[in-house]
């Protein structure tokens, strides 16, 4: 295969998993910092005339990981790579996709412009927080979905059928939750949530029946876990037998871990789009599912100029 896969420092574990699935090695690059914190990148092998894929999530610290990605792309472009595809499993700043109050930026659009200017020819990501972000780019964007990975986990654990109910933690997540409910042959419920500020939300009540049901709360990401922990407590107060949660991206910032541990959640299932720290990975409530095979397949199809639409089998309804 005449293409190369490189990686920044945000998620080396996932990058190694991807190249292992592809049966190749990770490209040789140095990504480090000068004494004053400036990022330095050097590509240690020839990329002239070759298709290149760069794997880098833009999770915390988002600014450093974003700069690593753009500097690496610039280095590859100046080294005469034929094409550069940015594989960003977790696309940061995606929640800032519109102006919800006066005098605030649309940062997701700014990030799209910065990435395009740096030299990427294509973007591959997973479960964008807002689907319209694809339109912020003037290059092809492939937004993969974790639905088949998470659904397979629940089906293998016999967590489906009439005894289960899929719950969306807010109105915006209903289309996503509806897909899971259909796949798991379960009913659907919604948490009525009021947001009073960034990372501040209050769960109000449940729309739907969760009494004597096993609840699966579905979301695209878990950040501070405020919404999630409140939603879990709310469904238990409404008579649920048990509650667990699943999300693609485990951001887990601030008090997230403490909130999850003190909540009635039995299990939190995440994908490995963001690498958990050693401390978080040892917590018994967390279950991390691998996405490397899905990203490897998408990379291979893009290189071979084949359709990847079948990878969107469970894409969220609009």
């Amino acid at each position: 295969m005449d293409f190369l896969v490189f990686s920044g420092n945000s998620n080396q574990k996932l990058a190694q998993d991807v190249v292992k699935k592809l049966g190749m090695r990770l490209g040789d690059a140095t990504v480090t910092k000068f004494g004053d914190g400036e990022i330095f990148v050097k590509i240690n092998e020839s990329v002239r005339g070759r298709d290149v894929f760069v794997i880098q999530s833009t999770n915390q610290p988002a600014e450093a990981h974003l700069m690593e990605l753009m500097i690496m792309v610039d280095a590859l472009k100046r080294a005469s790579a034929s094409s550069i595809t940015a594989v960003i499993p977790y696309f940061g700043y995606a929640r800032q996709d519109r102006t919800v109050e006066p005098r605030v930026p649309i940062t997701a659009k700014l990030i799209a412009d910065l990435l395009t200017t740096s030299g990427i020819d294509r973007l591959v990501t997973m479960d964008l927080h807002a689907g319209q972000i694809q339109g912020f780019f003037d290059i092809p964007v492939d937004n993969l979905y974790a639905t088949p990975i998470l659904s397979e986990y629940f089906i293998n654990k016999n967590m489906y059928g009439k005894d289960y109910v899929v719950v969306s933690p807010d109105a915006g997540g209903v289309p996503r939750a509806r897909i899971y409910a259909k796949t798991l042959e379960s009913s659907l419920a919604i948490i009525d949530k009021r947001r009073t500020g960034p990372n501040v939300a209050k769960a109000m009540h449940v729309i739907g029946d969760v009494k004597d049901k096993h609840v699966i709360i579905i979301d695209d990401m878990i950040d501070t876990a405020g919404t999630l922990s409140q939603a879990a407590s709310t469904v238990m107060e409404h008579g649920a037998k048990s509650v667990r949660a699943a999300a693609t991206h485990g951001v887990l910032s601030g008090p997230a871990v403490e909130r999850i541990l003190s909540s009635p959640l039995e299990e939190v299932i995440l994908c490995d789009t963001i690498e958990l720290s050693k401390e978080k990975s040892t917590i018994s409530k967390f279950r991390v599912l691998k996405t490397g095979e899905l990203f490897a397949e998408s990379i291979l199809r893009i290189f071979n100029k084949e359709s990847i639409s079948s990878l969107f089998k469970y894409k969220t309804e609009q």
Side-chain angles (χ1 to χ4, degrees):
M1 292 181 287
D2 193 28
F3 65 89
L4 291 169
V5 178
F6 289 89
S7 174
N9 292 318
S10 71
N11 201 332
Q12 283 276 326
K13 190 173 182 180
L14 174 57
Q16 290 290 352
D17 194 30
V18 169
V19 295
K20 183 178 180 181
K21 299 292 184 185
L22 290 169
M24 59 192 301
R25 61 173 178 80
L26 202 59
D28 187 7
T30 300
V31 184
T32 186
K33 290 183 179 180
F34 290 111
D36 64 351
E38 287 186 9
I39 296 169
F40 171 75
V41 171
K42 182 181 179 182
I43 308 300
N44 298 318
E45 59 182 296
S46 175
V47 297
R48 184 177 295 274
R50 304 181 76 177
D51 295 316
V52 175
F53 297 83
V54 182
I55 300 173
Q56 176 86 328
S57 282
T58 54
N59 54 290
Q60 187 180 12
E63 293 78 10
H65 289 151
L66 181 62
M67 284 301 297
E68 278 187 11
L69 174 59
M70 292 191 297
I71 293 171
M72 180 172 281
V73 168
D74 184 73
L76 291 164
K77 180 176 64 175
R78 295 177 187 278
S80 301
S82 177
S83 70
I84 303 171
T85 299
V87 181
I88 308 179
Y90 168 68
F91 188 92
Y93 290 101
R95 284 169 285 185
Q96 300 182 53
D97 62 304
R98 63 194 186 281
T99 55
V100 295
E101 57 183 306
R103 297 174 296 281
V104 296
I106 303 180
T107 315
K109 169 59 175 169
L110 173 62
I111 299 302
D113 291 342
L114 289 171
L115 288 170
T116 305
T117 301
S118 70
I120 68 171
D121 300 294
R122 190 182 195 101
L123 171 68
V124 178
T125 187
M126 177 171 281
D127 276 334
L128 277 171
H129 182 71
Q132 66 264 26
I133 292 174
Q134 297 173 77
F136 293 172
F137 289 86
D138 293 325
I139 58 174
V141 177
D142 296 310
N143 184 27
L144 305 178
Y145 296 90
T147 314
I149 297 171
L150 293 170
S151 296
E152 183 180 28
Y153 174 83
F154 289 121
I155 292 171
N156 289 340
K157 295 288 185 179
N158 292 317
M159 297 179 188
Y160 63 93
K162 62 181 181 179
D163 292 331
Y164 285 81
V165 56
V166 174
V167 171
S168 172
D170 53 38
V174 172
R176 181 185 305 106
R178 186 182 295 118
I179 292 296
Y180 281 90
K182 181 179 180 181
T183 304
L184 300 178
E185 300 175 352
S186 305
S187 55
L188 176 67
I190 307 164
I191 298 289
D192 176 29
K193 182 185 73 171
R194 304 287 175 85
R195 185 173 294 280
T196 58
N199 290 338
V200 181
K202 175 66 176 177
M204 303 297 284
H205 63 273
V206 180
I207 303 172
D209 183 20
V210 298
K211 185 176 176 58
D212 297 325
K213 301 276 190 178
H214 298 288
V215 169
I216 301 173
I217 300 174
I218 295 291
D219 212 346
D220 65 318
M221 70 171 71
I222 301 173
D223 189 356
T224 61
T227 296
L228 177 62
S229 58
Q230 290 179 35
S233 298
T234 299
V235 296
M236 293 302 291
E237 290 168 2
H238 282 70
K241 285 184 177 180
S242 68
V243 58
R244 49 181 37 86
T248 306
H249 312 297
V251 180
L252 303 178
S253 59
V257 173
E258 290 76 13
R259 286 173 172 173
I260 289 171
L261 290 176
S262 61
S263 75
L265 287 161
E266 292 186 6
E267 186 180 33
V268 177
I269 302 98
L270 304 168
C271 292
D272 62 351
T273 54
I274 298 175
E275 186 174 352
L276 296 187
S277 64
K278 289 183 179 180
E279 295 78 12
K280 292 174 182 175
S281 62
T282 59
I283 295 173
S284 59
K285 279 193 177 185
F286 290 146
R287 178 79 61 179
V288 180
L289 307 182
K290 293 183 177 297
T291 59
E293 185 172 352
L294 185 58
F295 281 110
E297 180 66 21
S298 66
I299 288 172
L300 194 58
R301 293 191 185 192
I302 290 170
F303 173 71
N304 289 327
K305 297 178 174 58
E306 297 174 351
S307 171
I308 63 173
S309 59
S310 63
L311 300 179
F312 303 156
K313 180 179 178 182
Y314 298 96
K315 70 179 180 180
T316 303
E317 292 179 346
Q318 300 299 320

